[in-house]
Amino acid sequence: MPHSHNPKTLHLATPGSLGPVTPEEARLLEKLDFTRLPRHVAVIMDGNGRWAQKRHLPRIAGHRSGTQSARITIETCARLKIEALTLYAFSVENWRRPKTEIDFLMALLREYLRKEMPLLQKNNIRMRFLGRMDELPAGVQNDVRDAMEKTAGNKGMVLCVALNYGGRAEIVDAMNAILSGGNGHGMPTKVTEEQLARHLYTEGLPDPDLLIRTSGEMRVSNFLLWQIAYAEIFVTETLWPDFNRARLLEALLEYQKRERRYGGIREDEPSDEKPVRAAGN
Ligand code: FPP
């Protein structure tokens, strides 16, 4: 099985790539192996509401504070030369929240895209959005399109924002795209894994190697259901607004401790038989 580690050895980040660091970050960076970083990190940014509640603040204060954590995570991953970062900003289930909170989240995202564009450009980040964009308010759709166009030529990290996203909806959309596309000989009667993956919103990106979830919940919450088949899952009690560079480095170090087997056995485990099939199925 091909290793999912960053293959671009000529373009590795170094401890200096992050600029000035705190003593805690420096200690963590010392242990980090820059040749074995995940290619794709996905994050379920949870706990904004609880963070605000603990401070007797309205929930929206937690979301606002959460944008700082998003900013730090985005910039750090880009500087570490991670290929792709996906942030779960709004799920198809989130429409069940009060309208004021939904409106605030949409406005916050629009504000983020406007304010952070220079930072995204400076770090050579290309933006993608995963989800049913056509169901979003027109203003959000415009800003989403604009952000993708403005960053289309960037060659660094791909930042995917999952917005009006659902993992099951994504698989259904992929199947419908295959069915409506046909195969030149009428309706396809069989679909392969490769074909389905090509019709997902994440088409062309490596699957996440590491899935981070903040605030302690042990759920995947309909996030990237197909793509996380072999992802290492890291759950931290830290609430999203408290997630910072040191916590991200800890997640990366934990990832590097895991042994990834993709359903096979350890490479150095004694076995006199050859695998019947290539791993990964
Ligand atoms: C979950 O916390 C968080 C969200 C539903 C929204 C996440 C959105 C942001 C951080 C806004 C910025 C996003 C980007 C990409 C700039 P929760 O409200 O479910 O927390 P709780 O479980 O404690 O109630």
Side-chain angles (χ1 to χ4, degrees), residues 20-274:
V21 292
T22 64
E24 183 190 24
E25 291 163 357
R27 269 195 307 279
L28 294 165
L29 275 171
E30 233 167 65
K31 293 188 231 156
L32 198 66
D33 179 349
F34 287 83
T35 67
R36 291 176 52 244
L37 288 170
R39 293 178 65 187
H40 185 170
V41 177
V43 188
I44 302 178
M45 311 181 284
D46 197 14
N48 293 350
R50 273 161 284 176
W51 182 93
Q53 209 172 17
K54 272 179 36 183
R55 287 163 179 74
H56 308 288
L57 294 169
R59 292 177 54 79
I60 55 172
H63 295 317
R64 182 166 286 291
S65 188
T67 57
Q68 283 308 314
S69 306
R71 177 183 221 264
I72 293 167
T73 304
I74 293 165
E75 191 167 32
T76 307
C77 287
R79 289 180 173 212
L80 288 173
K81 301 206 184 298
I82 285 172
E83 274 177 64
L85 170 69
T86 299
L87 300 178
Y88 204 1
F90 194 90
S91 72
V92 289
E93 290 84 13
N94 285 152
W95 296 108
R96 295 187 200 132
R97 293 189 176 207
K99 185 174 178 322
T100 47
E101 186 172 339
I102 295 173
D103 290 347
F104 182 84
L105 279 169
M106 294 295 160
L108 195 61
L109 181 86
R110 298 185 70 183
E111 181 187 313
Y112 182 89
L113 293 177
R114 209 176 42 250
K115 279 202 189 149
E116 300 291 332
M117 192 45 70
L119 184 90
L120 298 172
Q121 298 290 22
K122 184 175 144 224
N123 285 288
N124 208 10
I125 293 169
R126 182 152 51 96
M127 288 210 74
R128 266 172 85 160
F129 291 83
L130 317 179
R132 290 182 173 166
M133 295 303 115
D134 55 344
E135 293 171 0
L136 290 167
V140 179
Q141 289 191 42
N142 280 338
D143 289 357
V144 157
R145 216 172 299 121
D146 201 45
M148 285 194 295
E149 279 168 14
K150 281 193 178 131
T151 62
N154 291 346
K155 298 280 181 271
M157 184 180 82
V158 177
L159 168 62
C160 305
V161 176
L163 193 58
N164 192 25
Y165 175 87
R168 288 184 174 178
E170 180 181 27
I171 295 169
V172 168
D173 286 354
M175 281 306 296
N176 281 324
I178 293 169
L179 289 176
S180 65
N183 61 358
H185 311 280
M187 210 67 108
T189 50
K190 267 191 174 175
V191 172
T192 64
E193 288 191 13
E194 291 72 21
Q195 199 180 4
L196 198 130
R198 273 203 308 278
H199 288 83
L200 294 173
Y201 310 140
T202 49
E203 188 266 319
L205 294 175
D207 285 342
D209 306 292
L210 172 63
L211 170 66
I212 299 173
R213 179 166 191 149
T214 57
S215 90
E217 240 67 72
M218 297 286 179
R219 290 193 284 274
V220 292
S221 298
N222 201 13
F223 189 40
L224 302 175
L225 293 181
W226 176 278
Q227 299 88 333
I228 60 168
Y230 294 101
E232 295 296 331
I233 302 181
F234 177 82
V235 177
T236 169
E237 289 295 326
T238 305
L239 304 175
W240 179 248
D242 292 326
F243 194 82
N244 56 22
R245 199 147 69 166
R247 304 290 82 77
L248 174 64
L249 293 173
E250 279 169 0
L252 295 172
L253 284 168
E254 172 62 28
Y255 165 80
Q256 293 189 338
K257 282 192 211 148
R258 307 270 179 96
E259 182 200 346
R260 306 187 75 197
R261 293 189 295 172
Y262 302 96
I265 60 170
R266 266 198 346 254
E267 269 170 24
D268 59 351
E269 207 164 305
S271 165
D272 38 33
E273 281 177 65
K274 285 212 159 55

